[in-house]
Amino acid sequence: MKIGKSIRRFCLLYLLFLSPVTVAQDNEAVLNPGTISGSVSLNGYTINKVTVKAIDTNKVFSSAVTVNVLEGANSIDYELTLEGDNEYYLMAEAYLVSEDFIKVLIPPSAPVFVSVDGAEVRDISMTPVEITGTISTGDDFTLSLAYRIGAWLNVPEFEDEPWPHQSETVVSEQNINGLIGIPYKILVAPENQYYNVRAQVSLNGFNYNINDTDVITPSVGQEILRDYLLNYDSASISGNSQLSGVELISSEVFGQAPAPLPRGTRTSTANTIENVFNLPVDQGVWNLTSIFNFYLPSAELSNLTGLVYAGWPESFDVQQDELIVSDFVIEPSLMPGKLTLVGANTQFSQGRIRANGSPGGLSHSDISSDTGRFIYVLPPGKWQRDNRLTLWFNYEQEVDNSLNSLIWQEYRSPDGQIDVLGGENFDEFEVEYNTSTIEYLFSVANEEELSHPYLKVTRLHSINSIAQGYGSADKTTLGKAKVTLLEPGDYLIEAFARVNDSEVEFGSTEVTVEGGESIVIGGNSSPLIRLLDVIDGTVTCDDFVEINGTATDSQGIDSIMINGISIPFTLTNNSNDLNEVSFSYNVELESDTENTIQIVANGVKQSGGTTIDIRVTQQNCQSDNQLVFIDIKPGTCKNPVNVKSKGVLPVTIFGSEDFDVSTVSLDSIFLQGVSPTKSAIKDLGQPLSEVNDKCQNEVSDGYDDLTLKFRTQHLINALKALGLGLGDGDQVTLSLSGVVEVSGELKPFQGQNNISIISK
């Protein structure tokens, strides 16, 4: 952001230590470890890998460890590090020494209690039973077949995990006789109810998907037979699949049909060559989807890609051995768009946005990290334009440059749908978010080391949004991960890190986030600091910057230091926090350079200290500022602005003999710290003057003027941050600043105009 003498944009920077909602510890960022160790064995089998997972009975803390023994063994030792003073369920996955991939799930038994610094021993062993059978077609000829089959088990102790719990067997492609078929075997736990057997069988180029829910409970020593007969014949659908107006990278046609199996489906995929495809299918009703991967049809975005899924308008009732020919040629519409991020983090490293259409349509577009621009390629149909957004972030200004995160969020509301006929060019679709950041500090009691800190931050209620943040793989005593959020609201934060080779969950916390906030959690019960008027990265023309803020700590504040100088502070008499104090201090800035200002709050009774470093750049710009004429809401003199307006505020910068608007750097323009969304150059005449209570405009002066548009709500928020009441009828002076480039030199300019507030 930029600040001048008459432009002062106040923001709120939070450094928070948050007490947990469901976590027992006072500080969810600190792991107080205990261990569970033992061996894993699968009676009668040799294993070469085990994964042991633990979750506490309240489903707050978890841990997982994987151990490999390449040569194989009858049993494999493990050790889990996890949060102490909790009861844990244990579940294991054992992998057999075999030419095929065979994984066996060992469900949990009674929980085990682990104290802080405790070391419990729990061996995990099981004698498995078999679900077995044959997969065949009933046809006496050779087929190419491979399968992946698993028995999914309902494990209520671990039910919050996103992936199914299953024993699984995978067999690579083999040539078999369809009449004889191929045998399969799944090793499962005895006396547990398996809720379904699921399989994907690849058969001569297309897939059968089996979902068999009617599997009885196996008993010790019992073998359960489940045969699957695939009704296969050799048919095909061929033709042309084409998306006009784009440069293709690749394309394919995907087909799906129900199968005469328990809740089964069949799928098939064929690549296109010069828009021609030949899709292997068999008898049944098939629905097709054409998939296109292409370069975006825009010179500005030609290095980025798009992806379209387009459902065919009609299904195909395929008969045995039938050869069907059909074409699908799409004339799409184009919709350019722009993503704008404001608030705590305005820069992303990579992005992709998706529109959702019917029938069966998806349109993806990469987003330029430089300009925020993208373009939708939309086949005919009904489309929701902002169905899903995924953004990646790198935090290059952080000392730890390994920090990175991603966020995806999905909207399922039908609001904002548009009808696309094909061949249209739509107006630009604008998407904007007021971002927040959460930074999480990790540590382990007794100065133990950790690595790979990881955050999962899930928005509660309404919008489906998940952010994931990743920290350094290097071992350290203080780890850090960070995420950027797009929406205000309530979030669940789950924190993980690797400790002694275990992937350990440090606990979960709920937090309410406002747009524009920067939140830091953790740091060994450190004091809380709030800075009220300066944020990191501020640029100012002032020689001094005033640091105002508050600090609090559960034990009280002992001292506050700014750049090594102890400064006075006073109690705020906050009835909700009797330990809260306020402070204010003017820091002299070194000219024409970046200044680092360090604020330290120390708690009493050695409860620890919190440090914030902010950077403020001083620019000697005031003496060289060129004054220019600006007109807010051209055509009016009173310039009324409604505080509830959701629109834009037009502003004109007038050109003159001494001021060429074509030399203005658009990225440098700020109106009370708010940047414009659109601009145009044309001759609008000269500034308005007021004569006899009427606005009069001088004749055209022959100089081009620069017209700008600012989002009204951004401006209102900036004024509110200054502490202005914005009462009805109030007159407020707005200042606009920017830079022109003349003969390779950058020169600042400034202009002012009044607005009249409407708040009723």
Side-chain angles (χ1 to χ4, degrees):
M1 63 168 284
K2 294 183 179 291
I3 296 180
K5 278 186 179 293
S6 59
I7 306 174
R8 183 101 34 200
R9 184 184 179 195
F10 291 81
C11 296
L12 185 62
L13 172 67
Y14 284 93
L15 180 66
L16 298 180
F17 166 67
L18 298 171
S19 50
V21 173
T22 58
V23 183
Q25 283 67 29
D26 290 334
N27 189 336
E28 68 280 7
V30 179
L31 180 73
N32 299 287
T35 63
I36 302 175
S37 62
S39 65
V40 178
S41 60
L42 203 61
N43 299 329
Y45 296 89
T46 302
I47 56 178
N48 57 12
K49 174 183 173 182
V50 297
T51 295
V52 181
K53 302 177 181 180
I55 188 168
D56 81 299
T57 53
N58 293 317
K59 296 182 181 178
V60 175
F61 300 102
S62 65
S63 182
V65 66
T66 298
V67 183
N68 291 279
V69 178
L70 296 180
E71 65 275 15
N74 292 328
S75 66
I76 297 177
D77 293 335
Y78 75 93
E79 181 176 277
L80 277 171
T81 299
L82 26 65
E83 179 70 28
D85 284 348
N86 288 282
E87 270 194 322
Y88 287 90
Y89 291 106
L90 299 180
M91 181 171 63
E93 296 168 346
Y95 297 78
L96 269 60
V97 176
S98 171
E99 293 181 359
D100 303 318
F101 174 90
I102 302 177
K103 180 183 75 173
V104 183
L105 179 71
I106 306 177
S109 55
V112 55
F113 180 81
V114 183
S115 62
V116 174
D117 297 326
E120 299 298 320
V121 177
R122 172 66 64 91
D123 293 333
I124 303 172
S125 181
M126 185 180 78
T127 300
V129 297
E130 296 181 0
I131 298 176
T132 187
T134 300
I135 301 172
S136 62
T137 66
D139 300 309
D140 190 12
F141 56 83
T142 300
L143 299 165
S144 175
L145 189 146
Y147 67 79
R148 179 174 190 160
I149 189 166
W152 291 18
L153 175 66
N154 180 19
V155 184
E157 297 89 346
F158 284 77
E159 65 184 2
D160 291 340
E161 285 199 4
W163 301 109
H165 310 292
Q166 64 174 333
S167 291
E168 185 178 22
T169 301
V170 180
V171 172
S172 56
E173 190 172 53
Q174 300 180 20
N175 291 324
I176 63 141
N177 181 277
L179 185 62
I180 299 173
I182 186 171
Y184 75 89
K185 180 172 63 177
I186 316 170
L187 299 178
V188 298
E191 299 177 0
N192 278 281
Q193 177 63 52
Y194 281 81
Y195 62 90
N196 63 357
V197 171
R198 291 195 175 188
Q200 184 180 78
V201 182
S202 176
L203 180 63
N204 276 12
F206 67 97
N207 299 317
Y208 279 85
N209 298 292
I210 302 169
N211 186 3
D212 184 1
T213 60
D214 187 22
V215 179
I216 63 173
T217 303
S219 302
V220 175
Q222 182 182 9
E223 181 182 275
I224 299 176
L225 295 175
R226 304 291 291 185
D227 292 331
Y228 299 106
L229 179 65
L230 309 182
N231 183 20
Y232 170 77
D233 63 84
S234 180
S236 70
I237 303 173
S238 61
N240 283 275
S241 172
Q242 183 176 345
L243 182 67
S244 302
V246 299
E247 181 184 350
L248 283 179
I249 301 171
S250 63
S251 64
E252 61 189 47
V253 176
F254 171 81
Q256 180 169 318
L261 296 165
R263 296 182 61 190
T265 60
R266 292 163 290 172
T267 62
S268 180
T269 303
N271 294 325
T272 65
I273 300 176
E274 295 183 350
N275 300 322
V276 177
F277 72 96
N278 185 21
L279 184 73
V281 296
D282 65 356
Q283 183 176 352
V285 178
W286 286 81
N287 294 292
L288 304 190
T289 300
S290 290
I291 304 171
F292 305 94
N293 185 21
F294 51 87
Y295 294 107
L296 294 182
S298 164
E300 178 187 355
L301 305 175
S302 59
N303 62 325
L304 302 178
T305 64
L307 184 68
V308 162
Y309 288 68
W312 286 48
E314 296 181 356
S315 58
F316 295 87
D317 189 358
V318 181
Q319 303 303 311
Q320 184 173 346
D321 299 325
E322 185 177 9
L323 305 179
I324 296 177
V325 178
S326 185
D327 297 334
F328 187 33
V329 179
I330 302 170
E331 296 290 341
S333 297
L334 302 181
M335 177 180 289
K338 183 177 182 182
L339 170 69
T340 302
L341 301 183
V342 298
N345 188 11
T346 61
Q347 185 61 47
F348 61 95
S349 59
Q350 184 180 349
R352 174 156 278 212
I353 193 168
R354 184 182 82 182
N356 186 44
S358 60
L362 295 172
S363 178
H364 302 250
S365 173
D366 288 344
I367 308 172
S368 170
S369 59
D370 295 325
T371 65
R373 297 195 178 278
F374 59 91
I375 187 166
Y376 280 137
V377 176
L378 301 175
K382 188 177 289 293
W383 289 88
Q384 181 188 349
R385 295 172 294 179
D386 57 347
N387 170 249
R388 183 165 180 168
L389 175 66
T390 306
L391 296 176
W392 289 260
F393 299 91
N394 294 325
Y395 301 96
E396 298 176 352
Q397 295 183 345
E398 292 279 351
V399 175
D400 181 0
N401 58 17
S402 69
L403 295 181
N404 66 94
S405 72
L406 68 88
I407 185 171
W408 68 264
Q409 64 183 38
E410 191 169 51
Y411 301 90
R412 300 185 184 275
S413 170
D415 294 343
Q417 286 189 344
I418 60 169
D419 291 316
V420 175
L421 301 178
E424 302 148 296
N425 289 297
F426 288 94
D427 292 337
E428 184 173 83
F429 172 51
E430 295 184 357
V431 185
E432 181 174 306
Y433 294 97
N434 187 11
T435 64
S436 304
T437 60
I438 294 179
E439 184 177 308
Y440 198 100
L441 304 178
F442 297 71
S443 62
V444 183
N446 302 320
E447 296 293 313
E448 288 190 42
E449 291 185 324
L450 60 89
S451 66
H452 300 85
Y454 162 70
L455 284 183
K456 180 181 178 183
V457 182
T458 305
R459 193 177 191 274
L460 304 175
H461 323 301
S462 179
I463 298 172
N464 188 12
S465 177
I466 296 177
Q468 296 170 292
Y470 303 88
S472 174
D474 296 336
K475 289 186 176 181
T476 179
T477 57
L478 184 62
K480 180 165 70 173
K482 187 173 184 177
V483 297
T484 296
L485 305 177
L486 302 180
E487 300 276 2
D490 298 326
Y491 286 85
L492 174 68
I493 303 173
E494 299 170 276
F496 305 82
R498 186 175 299 174
V499 182
N500 298 328
D501 295 325
S502 295
E503 304 295 335
V504 185
E505 184 173 3
F506 281 48
S508 59
T509 302
E510 288 186 18
V511 59
T512 299
V513 177
E514 300 293 338
E517 286 186 338
S518 295
I519 299 175
V520 179
I521 301 174
N524 294 320
S525 299
S526 302
L528 176 156
I529 299 176
R530 291 184 175 93
L531 297 183
L532 304 178
D533 58 354
V534 179
I535 67 171
D536 187 37
T538 292
V539 178
T540 180
C541 298
D542 293 349
D543 297 323
F544 290 83
V545 64
E546 188 176 43
I547 306 296
N548 296 298
T550 65
T552 188
D553 183 72
S554 59
Q555 301 296 321
I557 296 297
D558 179 67
S559 64
I560 295 177
M561 313 282 289
I562 297 183
N563 285 351
I565 300 173
S566 180
I567 65 168
F569 55 88
T570 59
L571 288 171
T572 62
N573 296 320
N574 181 352
S575 60
N576 295 319
D577 184 358
L578 299 179
N579 291 322
E580 185 181 69
V581 301
S582 63
F583 58 88
S584 179
Y585 185 70
N586 280 329
V587 176
E588 185 174 4
L589 301 175
E590 186 177 346
S591 298
D592 266 346
T593 189
E594 182 181 272
N595 295 258
T596 298
I597 301 173
Q598 185 177 85
I599 304 99
V600 179
N602 294 303
V604 301
K605 297 184 180 180
Q606 298 182 345
S607 62
T610 293
T611 300
I612 298 178
D613 290 330
I614 60 173
R615 294 159 299 169
V616 178
T617 298
Q618 199 282 336
Q619 292 182 349
N620 285 329
C621 50
Q622 289 298 316
S623 59
D624 298 328
N625 265 4
Q626 181 178 359
L627 296 179
V628 299
F629 288 104
I630 70 171
D631 188 7
I632 297 174
K633 300 191 73 171
T636 67
C637 283
K638 301 299 183 182
N639 303 333
V641 175
N642 193 317
V643 296
K644 298 179 182 179
S645 171
K646 303 297 183 181
V648 294
L649 183 70
V651 178
T652 296
I653 303 176
F654 289 98
S656 65
E657 182 180 1
D658 300 323
F659 189 73
D660 183 358
V661 296
S662 68
T663 64
V664 173
S665 171
L666 295 177
D667 291 338
S668 73
I669 297 176
F670 290 90
L671 180 66
Q672 294 297 137
V674 177
S675 57
T677 60
K678 292 185 178 180
S679 64
I681 293 179
K682 55 184 175 181
D683 185 5
L684 296 177
Q686 298 181 29
L688 293 173
S689 59
E690 189 172 1
V691 178
N692 298 325
D693 295 326
K694 295 183 179 181
C695 287
Q696 296 181 352
N697 195 353
E698 302 292 338
V699 295
S700 174
D701 56 8
Y703 296 106
D704 282 338
D705 308 306
L706 178 60
T707 65
L708 306 164
K709 290 184 178 180
F710 298 83
R711 293 192 183 279
T712 304
Q713 281 305 301
H714 290 186
L715 180 64
I716 295 300
N717 290 339
L719 296 176
K720 287 180 179 179
L722 289 168
L724 299 178
L726 302 184
D728 192 59
D730 286 355
Q731 298 293 312
V732 179
T733 299
L734 303 186
S735 294
L736 181 145
S737 65
V739 171
V740 296
E741 183 173 358
V742 181
S743 301
E745 294 185 10
L746 298 178
K747 296 185 178 180
F749 65 86
Q750 189 175 31
Q752 292 185 338
N753 199 203
N754 292 336
I755 61 173
S756 178
I757 297 297
I758 299 175
S759 62
K760 291 184 178 179

